[in-house]
Amino acid sequence: MVRDEVPSGEIRPVRVLVVDDESTIRDVLVDFLGMEGYDVLAVPTAEQALVALKERPVDVALIDLQMPGMNGIELMEHVCRDHPWAVPLMMTGYGTVETAIAAMKVGAYDYLLKPFKVDEVIRVIERGLEKKRLERENVRLKELVDLYDVTEQLGKSLAEAHVHDLLVETIGVQAEADVVGLWRPSAPGSEVLEEGARWLDASNSAPGLAFLAGITPKVMAGVCTTTSARVLHSEEIAQLGLTTRPLPRSIFCAPLCANDQLLGVLVAARFEPRPAFRESKRKLLAIMVGRAAAAMDNARLYGDLQQTFKQTIQALANILEDRDPYTRGHSDRVSRYARQIAVGMGLKPEEVERIADSALMHDIGKLGIRFEELNKADPLTESEYEMFKSHTTRGKWILQPIRFLHPLIPGVYHHHERWDGRGYPVGLKGEEIPLMARILAVADTYDAMTSHRAYRRALPHEVAMQEIESCAGSQFDPAIVEVFVREMSRQRRDQSSKAERWRALLDPDETPASDDPGPTAAG
């Protein structure tokens, strides 16, 4: 009988291990099962069976219940624990309900009473093999579904740290490992590797922690000898130079490469009593590692793009403010206040960043306006005011051709809209105004009032806050004003407390003269 599929991926005859202290039983089973096409090995004791199981895997184990030394129940426990794909069958000439229950409890597939008919043994073996085949199919299907789900998540993630954490956790679960570690280059292009993420099985963390501690550069060099995923067993592990104990029973290791660049090395280990990694498992894990490498490369490229994006925004803001000494630092401060409001509102981190970036760009349209006319001491004429108002439309026009800056346009274009609908350039009202623009309106107005201008000196913080509160519901979104007032009060309390601690450190005997916290970054 030829089995078309085994866990290792081989095509070979089904291997049967017969363990029975009666030579007659062994001889009969060897002869008959051999004629049926099975590869049969027969041994008289459980101790010899354990040695045989270490030398090669088996597909079926026929175990006698009563034997000298280790009995059949104890051997059955070993087989079920360490060889999960084998079909364990119990044989006995002294069958009772109690012995049958005991055998089934430790994992026996079926129970054969002596004397038995050999064709009955064949039927039981075939049923057991079919059951194991279906179990493997279910496991393989689940692995493929899990692989699909994980690779989808990896493909969508643009945060490198998230890819690292997701990879080690997934490998840990899928590989049924005790520990998984991911080492990455300490700097782009560096050959020095540092630990980037780890996963530990909580039920067996001590050996895993010791293993991670023993991964030195020399050990890692022994692991990274190929460009493909591989599995190391006892002899190869002993040559790595690990000084910690116990040594793993099996190690899966794989480099993460993209475009001929090493992005990291993943190492997973199993300790006793877990079985060694099989070839089928290595292939599955190698696919996951390959997808993770692609996701890490995408995350790195996305990070570079984000950095370029930030630098572009900052460069445009610098060009704007370099032309006008009165607004120097204005965009940075408005961005800081806008971020403060967005965080105080509990917005998502990516939304907070988008709002802060839009604040940096909010006055970009002034690049087309002569700043001398905007900063004169006299009131603006009607034509000058109309030209000033055009900076929102000009800003949209400047950003429109740059696709990756499109998410910032709502703040740039609408930050002079009013809650009551009397703003410009469109005259939007209430929640028709994009949230980004409503936040920028408060942040922009506060900084404008607390900064020096050609036509007036900066207003005190308290006066500016009173003015903003009085305009809640007319010029500004009341909910955003409430958040801004709360966050500014908290910030000034923190600054006051910090100033008092410094004074106490510098002069413990000095008593503060007043409760005034002094000037702040906003004032």
Side-chain angles (χ1 to χ4, degrees):
M1 179 178 182
V2 175
R3 191 175 174 194
D4 59 356
E5 180 184 13
V6 293
S8 65
E10 300 175 68
I11 297 177
R12 56 168 173 75
V14 172
R15 291 172 178 165
V16 178
L17 175 65
V18 176
V19 189
D20 198 307
D21 58 335
E22 294 183 48
S23 60
T24 303
I25 297 292
R26 296 199 307 272
D27 293 341
V28 168
L29 289 173
V30 167
D31 290 342
F32 193 85
L33 294 178
M35 286 189 293
E36 291 293 319
Y38 292 94
D39 178 8
V40 188
L41 172 67
V43 294
T45 67
E47 290 77 11
Q48 288 176 285
L50 291 176
V51 173
L53 286 168
K54 285 184 178 181
E55 292 176 351
R56 69 172 191 171
V58 299
D59 306 304
V60 180
L62 286 164
I63 302 172
D64 186 28
L65 179 63
Q66 298 295 336
M67 292 183 291
M70 180 186 292
N71 64 36
I73 294 292
E74 293 173 306
L75 177 58
M76 184 73 69
E77 287 179 321
H78 281 278
V79 171
C80 293
R81 183 186 66 229
D82 298 339
H83 305 273
W85 295 118
V87 178
L89 299 173
M90 184 67 75
M91 303 182 294
T92 184
Y94 307 95
T96 65
V97 173
E98 289 75 16
T99 55
I101 291 174
M104 296 302 178
K105 276 186 176 180
V106 298
Y109 169 69
D110 210 337
Y111 191 84
L112 296 168
L113 286 174
K114 299 176 183 178
F116 44 70
K117 295 180 180 180
V118 182
D119 57 347
E120 179 188 353
V121 176
I122 297 293
R123 285 197 299 272
V124 172
I125 289 176
E126 289 179 348
R127 286 201 308 268
L129 290 172
E130 179 64 14
K131 179 175 181 290
K132 287 295 181 181
R133 187 189 67 79
L134 291 175
E135 286 178 0
R136 285 195 303 276
E137 286 295 326
N138 288 335
V139 169
R140 185 171 301 171
L141 179 60
K142 182 179 182 303
E143 287 178 340
L144 290 174
V145 171
D146 290 343
L147 174 61
Y148 175 80
D149 290 342
V150 169
T151 52
E152 282 291 298
Q153 293 181 56
L154 288 171
K156 292 177 181 177
S157 179
L158 292 174
E160 194 169 3
H162 178 252
V163 174
H164 293 170
D165 292 340
L166 179 60
L167 175 63
V168 296
E169 181 179 354
T170 302
I171 294 292
V173 173
Q174 291 295 329
E176 298 176 355
D178 290 297
V179 61
V180 182
L182 176 66
W183 282 261
R184 61 188 180 189
S186 56
S190 172
E191 295 183 359
V192 178
L193 299 177
E194 62 182 12
E195 187 182 331
R198 65 168 62 175
W199 179 91
L200 291 164
D201 183 344
S203 65
N204 196 26
S205 60
L209 287 170
F211 174 71
L212 291 174
I215 300 291
T216 62
K218 181 180 178 181
V219 172
M220 185 57 68
V223 169
C224 306
T225 56
T226 66
T227 57
S228 58
R230 62 183 182 138
V231 171
L232 306 180
H233 297 294
S234 302
E235 293 183 3
E236 296 166 301
I237 293 172
Q239 296 172 5
L240 290 177
L242 283 164
T243 58
T244 55
R245 293 294 183 272
L247 289 177
R249 179 172 188 172
S250 183
I251 293 177
F252 167 83
C253 51
L256 289 87
C257 299
N259 300 318
D260 297 326
Q261 182 179 359
L262 181 66
L263 303 179
V265 177
L266 184 133
V267 180
R270 284 180 177 176
F271 293 85
E272 295 282 359
R274 294 188 193 270
F277 290 112
R278 291 179 177 270
E279 175 63 15
S280 57
K281 186 67 72 175
R282 184 198 68 81
K283 291 178 180 178
L284 177 72
L285 299 181
I287 293 173
M288 288 187 178
V289 168
R291 288 299 301 268
M296 287 169 63
D297 192 43
N298 288 339
R300 181 178 57 82
L301 293 173
Y302 180 74
D304 293 343
L305 181 63
Q306 286 290 90
Q307 188 65 25
T308 302
F309 173 75
K310 292 286 186 183
Q311 291 169 352
T312 301
I313 292 173
Q314 192 61 60
L316 290 171
N318 292 344
I319 291 171
L320 170 65
E321 297 188 353
D322 189 58
R323 299 177 65 248
D324 185 358
Y326 285 105
T327 60
R328 194 157 294 156
H330 171 67
S331 296
D332 284 330
R333 292 192 298 273
V334 172
S335 180
R336 188 167 67 247
Y337 298 140
R339 181 189 297 276
Q340 194 173 358
I341 294 171
V343 171
M345 294 177 71
L347 301 182
K348 295 179 180 178
E350 57 270 21
E351 206 168 350
V352 172
E353 290 302 315
R354 194 159 50 244
I355 289 169
D357 290 339
S358 183
L360 280 174
M361 292 284 93
H362 78 285
D363 276 343
I364 193 68
K366 291 182 180 178
L367 283 174
I369 301 174
R370 294 189 299 276
F371 72 87
E372 295 88 350
E373 298 179 10
L374 296 180
N375 287 324
K376 65 179 188 177
D378 300 326
L380 297 177
T381 65
E382 185 174 345
S383 62
E384 289 170 341
Y385 182 57
E386 288 301 318
M387 181 177 63
F388 168 78
K389 287 166 53 177
S390 72
H391 80 277
T392 56
T393 304
R394 290 171 184 266
K396 178 181 178 181
W397 175 76
I398 290 171
L399 300 184
Q400 195 72 50
I402 310 173
R403 182 174 296 276
F404 72 86
L405 294 179
H406 282 188
L408 312 186
I409 290 178
V412 172
Y413 187 49
H414 293 293
H415 69 278
H416 278 292
E417 304 284 2
R418 289 173 53 108
W419 184 254
D420 58 13
R422 296 167 56 196
Y424 63 88
V426 181
L428 299 180
K429 181 178 181 180
E431 294 189 358
E432 294 175 352
I433 307 169
L435 176 63
M436 177 187 292
R438 283 181 267 152
I439 291 174
L440 264 58
V442 174
D444 183 34
T445 302
Y446 174 80
D447 188 70
M449 287 193 292
T450 55
S451 301
H452 292 302
R453 291 291 187 268
Y455 46 86
R456 61 155 176 79
R457 292 190 61 78
L459 299 176
H461 165 78
E462 291 77 10
V463 174
M465 294 302 290
Q466 288 174 5
E467 182 66 20
I468 285 177
E469 288 186 271
S470 70
C471 293
S474 56
Q475 184 174 350
F476 306 119
D477 180 343
I480 291 176
V481 170
E482 181 181 350
V483 172
F484 183 61
V485 170
R486 183 188 71 223
E487 293 301 309
M488 289 298 287
S489 298
R490 181 188 57 77
Q491 175 187 303
R492 290 172 69 82
R493 283 197 305 271
D494 292 345
Q495 290 175 338
S496 176
S497 175
K498 185 182 294 184
E500 289 177 1
R501 288 198 299 271
W502 274 108
R503 283 197 294 267
L505 287 171
L506 294 172
D507 190 354
D509 298 325
E510 181 180 339
T511 302
S514 70
D515 293 332
D516 183 6
T520 69

